[in-house]
Amino acid sequence: MLRTISLTMALLLGLSIQAQNHVDALRYSQESLWGSARYVAMGGAFGALGANASSTSHNPAGIAVHTNNEFSGSLSFIDIETEASYHSTNSFAKNSIASIPNLNYVSANVFNPEQVGDWSRFNFGIGYNKLEDYNQNIYLNAEQNEHSFSDVILNNAQGTTFDNLNSFSELLAFNTYLIDTIGNISSYYSPIDGLMSKTQSFSSNQSGSKNEFYVSFGTAYQNKLFLGATIGFPTLEYRETTTIRESDFSSEDDALIELDSYEYNTNLYASGSGINLKLGLIYKLDDNIRYGFALHTPTYYELYEEYWSSMSTDFVNEGDRYYSESYLGIFDYRLNTPFKMINSLSFVINKKAIISVDYEYLDYSMANLNSDFYDFGDTNNDIENYYASTANIKLGGELRIHPQLSLRGGYAYYGSPFAGDYNDASKEYLTMGAGLKVNQYFFDMALVNSLSEENLFIYNGAPATSLNSAKSQLLLSAGFKF
């Protein structure tokens, strides 16, 4: 039962003010593999290397490794294909996204140690990095006679007078005659039920992203110990539209079928901004081995949501069509995301090859929602019960085959945030790329293939929908040093 609730809410946002739930906390806490093309091509295993502008959002000590001023930026092109298996029927949805995932400027100030002492480097950086992309389309369609969303609406309405029905769901069904009173004002019936044969479809269109604007500082001690700090100002925007449709009803006596089809739509828009602090160090154990460590404080977000829903019905009698729309719900609340800890180790071999590994630890059960107008006690208990600590592991390598040309490859595993057997939302990334240096200019390319599997429940009582998502990404970066 807990497993069903955990993902049902993800698709029924906007039903009430309680739409701000544990699913929101998880969505806005998660991050995926984003950065410059060099960073991504090595699987994001850059915590002990530095000298890459994307590292400011991961291990800020990396900014202290720079010895030249630098300006860089990237372009990203993504194709996402999602396969949904529902009632033994497979459906597919695709979408493509182009974006600018990062723009970065680094000011490197290297001084003569004989004049300033052992702390001879003071670097500064500003820019922005994409941390998460929310774009995904999901579609499923099947013929079945086992359950119906109308049953959920009917059961929720029973015992409640029509003037007290939920304005975002049951009241819409009442206004469009998907349910109606029988006998008294708190007893209802529906012209359809889950045992009727029907065609049922569901679609979800999600869009938006989470980006971080930052200011970063770094210094170095004897060119051996590198320290850095980043103040991050993340912003996010998320939109989701879901549609449940049922049509082509049939039963043993089709003459009794009153409804031809109905459709229920929900809409959610969320935006917010926050602040966090990242601290990091990189230490050269010798000329070939480097250790990195970074600590990310929780991000404090202030979030704003708008949500609304609508329902339409089309009855068999020609002209009997009804439509009802909810009012616009607006809500402000706050979110504290989990902290993150990163340990990194890299090996530089004859200045021609690099092998690097990052280990990230975070605990999603530590996320917390709060508001001046609503008690999130139950929601925060859900967060503690549904989510757990997890680890992200990143591996990467680089081989310089020519003084100006390098080849790269990597692998990243992002652990599932769910506790126990509620769900498996882990992700895997396979990456490869190349880099070209021409004088003070550099050009990098990365190819990313990521795979994820998870179960989705479109409403309480519906069986699990198996989702398999494959993402292909081309990332291009360019910059110059001066």
Side-chain angles (χ1 to χ4, degrees):
M1 183 61 179
L2 292 177
R3 182 180 178 185
T4 302
I5 295 174
S6 69
L7 287 177
T8 301
M9 288 186 177
L11 300 178
L12 298 182
L13 295 172
L15 294 186
S16 70
I17 201 168
Q18 295 173 330
Q20 297 79 24
N21 55 54
H22 62 89
V23 177
D24 296 283
L26 176 63
R27 180 191 303 118
Y28 306 137
S29 296
Q30 285 187 301
E31 299 175 2
S32 55
L33 184 60
W34 283 95
S36 69
R38 186 186 181 198
Y39 177 93
V40 171
M42 293 180 62
F46 240 87
L49 294 173
N52 185 279
S54 295
S55 64
T56 53
S57 290
H58 302 278
N59 184 351
I63 195 172
V65 182
H66 286 271
T67 57
N68 298 99
N69 299 334
E70 179 182 305
F71 179 80
S72 62
S74 302
L75 291 174
S76 170
F77 306 90
I78 300 178
D79 286 322
I80 304 174
E81 180 175 302
T82 303
E83 178 184 3
S85 179
Y86 182 65
H87 281 282
S88 302
T89 301
N90 294 335
S91 304
F92 298 87
K94 290 185 177 182
N95 57 317
S96 301
I97 312 102
S99 66
I100 300 175
N102 52 73
L103 284 173
N104 309 97
Y105 167 74
V106 175
S107 174
N109 302 281
V110 182
F111 304 99
N112 188 339
E114 295 181 358
Q115 296 177 348
V116 299
D118 293 329
W119 297 93
S120 59
R121 192 176 305 174
F122 301 93
N123 293 354
F124 165 78
I126 59 172
Y128 90 92
N129 294 313
K130 177 176 282 192
L131 302 178
E132 184 61 286
D133 188 281
Y134 297 124
N135 289 278
Q136 185 178 27
N137 294 335
I138 300 170
Y139 177 76
L140 58 92
N141 184 83
E143 295 183 1
Q144 53 93 0
N145 60 353
E146 300 176 15
H147 54 88
S148 170
F149 180 63
S150 64
D151 291 339
V152 176
I153 294 290
L154 181 63
N155 291 335
N156 290 342
Q158 296 294 2
T160 304
T161 59
F162 62 84
D163 55 340
N164 288 314
L165 292 175
N166 189 312
S167 300
F168 295 91
S169 50
E170 286 77 46
L171 182 60
L172 303 181
F174 180 77
N175 291 339
T176 57
Y177 297 97
L178 182 63
I179 62 173
D180 204 354
T181 53
I182 180 172
N184 61 65
I185 60 173
S186 61
S187 295
Y188 301 87
Y189 79 99
S190 176
I192 56 174
D193 63 66
L195 299 182
M196 290 181 176
S197 297
K198 72 189 78 65
T199 299
Q200 184 182 62
S201 65
F202 170 84
S203 65
S204 172
N205 299 311
Q206 305 166 37
S207 63
S209 63
K210 178 168 66 172
N211 304 289
E212 182 174 72
F213 296 85
Y214 69 85
V215 179
S216 189
F217 305 90
T219 186
Y221 178 77
Q222 294 185 346
N223 201 35
K224 192 176 184 72
L225 173 64
F226 304 88
L227 302 177
T230 293
I231 303 174
F233 304 93
T235 62
L236 64 85
E237 186 172 74
Y238 176 77
R239 297 178 186 271
E240 181 178 12
T241 300
T242 66
T243 299
I244 295 177
R245 177 179 173 82
E246 295 183 358
S247 61
D248 303 324
F249 298 96
S250 63
S251 64
E252 293 182 357
D253 188 354
D254 287 344
L256 299 178
I257 302 296
E258 301 178 43
L259 186 67
D260 184 58
S261 65
Y262 78 90
E263 187 173 287
Y264 175 62
N265 301 282
T266 66
N267 303 271
L268 170 68
Y269 169 76
S271 63
S273 59
I275 187 171
N276 59 49
L277 175 66
K278 302 178 181 70
L279 302 172
L281 67 84
I282 295 174
Y283 184 71
K284 287 185 177 180
L285 299 174
D286 57 34
D287 290 339
N288 301 316
I289 303 175
R290 297 181 180 184
Y291 168 74
F293 176 81
L295 183 66
H296 298 190
T297 69
T299 298
Y300 170 83
Y301 280 109
E302 292 190 350
L303 299 170
Y304 167 83
E305 283 191 2
E306 295 179 354
Y307 45 93
W308 64 101
S309 56
S310 65
M311 182 173 287
S312 61
T313 54
D314 191 349
F315 284 80
V316 174
N317 292 330
E318 186 176 353
D320 287 348
R321 295 173 178 158
Y322 302 93
Y323 175 83
S324 182
E325 186 175 287
S326 73
Y327 63 86
L328 177 65
I330 297 175
F331 192 67
D332 295 305
Y333 63 106
R334 295 179 292 271
L335 166 67
N336 292 311
T337 67
F339 80 94
K340 182 189 293 186
M341 183 171 59
I342 307 172
N343 282 280
S344 311
L345 192 64
S346 66
F347 303 88
V348 180
I349 305 171
N350 295 327
K351 296 184 179 181
K352 291 186 177 181
I354 297 173
I355 299 174
S356 186
V357 58
D358 280 18
Y359 178 89
E360 300 180 350
Y361 171 86
L362 64 167
D363 188 345
Y364 289 103
S365 69
M366 298 180 68
N368 180 273
L369 295 173
N370 63 86
S371 170
D372 295 331
F373 310 104
Y374 182 76
D375 182 5
F376 279 104
D378 291 340
T379 302
N380 290 325
N381 287 335
D382 289 340
I383 292 173
E384 292 182 9
N385 292 331
Y386 296 155
Y387 305 125
S389 61
T390 190
N392 304 328
I393 301 173
K394 304 175 181 179
L395 302 171
E398 180 179 82
L399 176 63
R400 184 178 298 171
I401 61 174
H402 183 274
Q404 294 177 308
L405 181 63
S406 298
L407 301 180
R408 301 161 185 142
Y411 169 81
Y413 172 83
Y414 282 58
S416 175
F418 290 93
D421 297 325
Y422 288 150
N423 199 4
D424 181 9
S426 60
K427 297 180 181 180
E428 292 184 274
Y429 299 84
L430 293 174
T431 65
M432 61 182 297
L436 177 66
K437 291 183 179 180
V438 182
N439 297 322
Q440 74 269 35
Y441 301 97
F442 57 91
F443 307 89
D444 298 304
M445 179 270 292
L447 297 174
V448 183
N449 183 30
S450 66
L451 304 172
S452 63
E453 298 179 6
E454 60 182 315
N455 289 332
L456 214 55
F457 298 84
I458 62 175
Y459 55 82
N460 283 332
T465 300
S466 176
L467 289 184
N468 292 275
S469 298
K471 181 176 74 173
S472 300
Q473 180 181 16
L474 169 64
L475 193 61
L476 303 173
S477 298
F480 61 93
K481 299 181 179 182
F482 56 97

